[in-house]
Amino acid sequence: MSGTTTPTATGRGLNLALATAASVAGFWAWNSVATLGAFYTQNLELTPAATGVLVAMPVFVGSLGRIVVGTLTDKYGGRVMFTFVLLAAILPILLVAVGGLISSFALVLGAGLVLGVAGTVFAVGIPFVSAWYDPARRGFATGVFGAGMGGTALAAFLNPRLVAGIGYFPTHLLIAAVLAVMAALVWFFMKEPADWTPNHAPVMPKLLDAAGTAVTWKMCFLYAVVFGGFVSFATYLPTYLRDVYSFDPAGAGARTAGFALAAVLARPVGGVLADKLGPKPVVLASLGAVAVLGWVVNLRPDGEVPAGATFVAMAAALGLGTGGVFAWVGILSPAGKVGSISGIVSAAGGLGGYFPPLVMGATYDAATRSYSIGLLLLVGTALVALVFTLFAVQARSGAPAVQRAP
């Protein structure tokens, strides 16, 4: 099986749909530990700090692994790497299930670390869908693929309900089955475009060159704040809503799903606004809104509507920021470095979501049911990023981005 075909409209649509579905499945598995944080806290008798460590583990590996997996995708192609990532996530999701069943914190923690491989699905999809589309439509293609980020919403909404309905272990068996079925669909139906050729160029020189570019680290910082903010909220929000608002797992999961969906929908809007207005005002507006809304969240607004509207607005602000930052990557990156810089920036965004859950768990005040320290750190970080954006990042015009990470 050659795995290549001509870039017809039907072929493009089918492969984009398969890539997006694979991303949804990967995100679902990647976020499975976080969405069941309340289950682990109760059954493993964890402190808030220990819960924070547990839910952050998949994020850590999924972030750093993007650099490696993205490079392997250039060499082996999306069909092979999508299949590999989906199959590689099956064993750790099953081990997580066993760990929870026998109440082993060490097994859940270790398996969750390996489960981070599911999060590297980001790095497979961007070069794959970009290769199927002309440069003028790559923003559309990567935007559609980015909707796979909605797998976090799916996990938040379904997992607590599945555990309540069919049980903890069967829920993980179902996720493993979805991964296996999706891997089979990818292997048998996904194709590489006919003009795709493996890139066997040495990887390290390209990465070192990108790492030596000033714009890389500027965009890494901004993306770590906006995308990292989204990842950290998506992973820790079920625990936060349980501790502060006393929601049960299903209720917290439904609201976390709404948060994730709002961010997913806002991301392409941020990209479009960046194309029309320029990335700088979009990113500045995003960071300003995150700072203000972080302060409002810290005040613990009472009532379903005020609290819900605050979190949805926070999600939208973070989503706008992610779209704006990656539009900026394409404008500021030197020619021929957009891909390698995008990979590093994408990894930085994931790492930005690794540390906040640890901070939130470590600074939780059980006596007052308060996460004030962690939230005020978010406000301060957003303000620092806003000032940095205003004075340290140039708003140079140029070609719009052709590669955008989810």
Side-chain angles (χ1 to χ4, degrees):
M1 185 177 294
S2 64
T4 61
T5 189
T6 55
T8 63
T10 301
R12 285 194 296 264
L14 174 61
N15 283 279
L16 179 57
L18 285 170
T20 304
S23 180
V24 170
F27 261 114
W28 185 2
W30 193 42
N31 209 37
S32 59
V33 173
T35 53
L36 297 177
F39 173 89
Y40 295 118
T41 300
Q42 179 179 350
N43 287 271
L44 303 182
E45 300 179 349
L46 303 181
T47 65
T51 301
V53 172
L54 194 68
V55 302
M57 283 301 102
V59 176
F60 180 70
V61 173
S63 303
L64 291 181
R66 292 182 202 175
I67 299 174
V68 176
V69 170
T71 301
L72 292 175
T73 302
D74 289 338
K75 184 175 182 179
Y76 296 108
R79 172 174 168 265
V80 170
M81 291 307 299
F82 269 126
T83 304
F84 168 77
V85 167
L86 293 168
L87 291 179
I90 292 176
L91 180 59
I93 198 72
L94 293 176
L95 290 176
V96 164
V98 173
L101 198 64
I102 65 175
S103 299
S104 171
F105 174 76
L107 182 54
V108 176
L109 183 69
L113 188 68
V114 181
L115 184 59
V117 68
T120 65
V121 73
F122 297 170
V124 181
I126 292 301
F128 175 77
V129 301
S130 295
W132 268 100
Y133 284 80
D134 296 330
R137 299 200 69 205
R138 285 177 184 163
F140 159 78
T142 55
V144 172
F145 174 75
M149 194 166 70
T152 56
L154 190 68
F157 183 79
L158 286 182
N159 287 2
R161 286 169 170 75
L162 288 171
V163 169
I166 65 176
Y168 172 80
F169 194 75
T171 295
H172 289 78
L173 291 179
L174 176 61
I175 298 172
V178 170
L179 292 169
V181 170
M182 196 64 240
L185 290 174
V186 165
W187 182 257
F188 289 108
F189 296 102
M190 183 175 277
K191 306 289 184 182
E192 306 289 346
D195 58 353
W196 177 81
T197 55
N199 184 349
H200 295 289
V203 175
M204 286 307 299
K206 292 193 299 182
L207 291 177
L208 291 174
D209 186 37
T213 305
V215 67
T216 302
W217 300 108
K218 292 179 179 180
M219 294 298 105
C220 278
F221 173 54
L222 296 181
Y223 201 59
V225 175
V226 290
F227 186 72
F230 163 74
V231 172
S232 57
F233 267 105
T235 54
Y236 204 78
L237 194 54
T239 301
Y240 180 92
L241 293 176
R242 180 203 66 200
D243 292 341
V244 175
Y245 290 98
S246 301
F247 281 113
D248 61 20
R255 287 157 180 81
T256 303
F259 177 93
L261 183 61
V264 169
L265 295 176
R267 177 165 187 145
V269 175
V272 171
L273 290 176
D275 288 340
K276 293 183 178 297
L277 305 175
K280 190 164 188 172
V282 174
V283 175
L284 286 171
S286 166
L287 293 170
V290 169
V292 171
L293 291 166
W295 175 259
V296 175
V297 170
N298 175 60
L299 297 178
R300 291 191 280 189
D302 193 18
E304 183 78 15
V305 174
T310 300
F311 282 108
V312 169
M314 174 67 81
L318 292 168
L320 288 172
T322 59
V325 169
F326 253 92
W328 223 346
V329 170
I331 291 174
L332 296 181
S333 298
K337 297 184 181 180
V338 177
S340 53
I341 290 176
S342 294
I344 297 174
V345 172
S346 179
L351 284 177
Y354 170 71
F355 295 103
L358 302 179
V359 174
M360 295 290 276
T363 60
Y364 174 61
D365 186 344
T368 60
R369 301 169 69 186
S370 173
Y371 284 98
S372 289
I373 295 176
L375 291 168
L376 292 177
L377 284 172
L378 169 65
V379 172
T381 302
L383 289 175
V384 169
L386 188 149
V387 173
F388 177 81
T389 301
L390 191 61
F391 295 106
V393 188
Q394 58 181 325
R396 192 178 74 202
S397 60
V402 297
Q403 288 183 314
R404 294 179 184 170

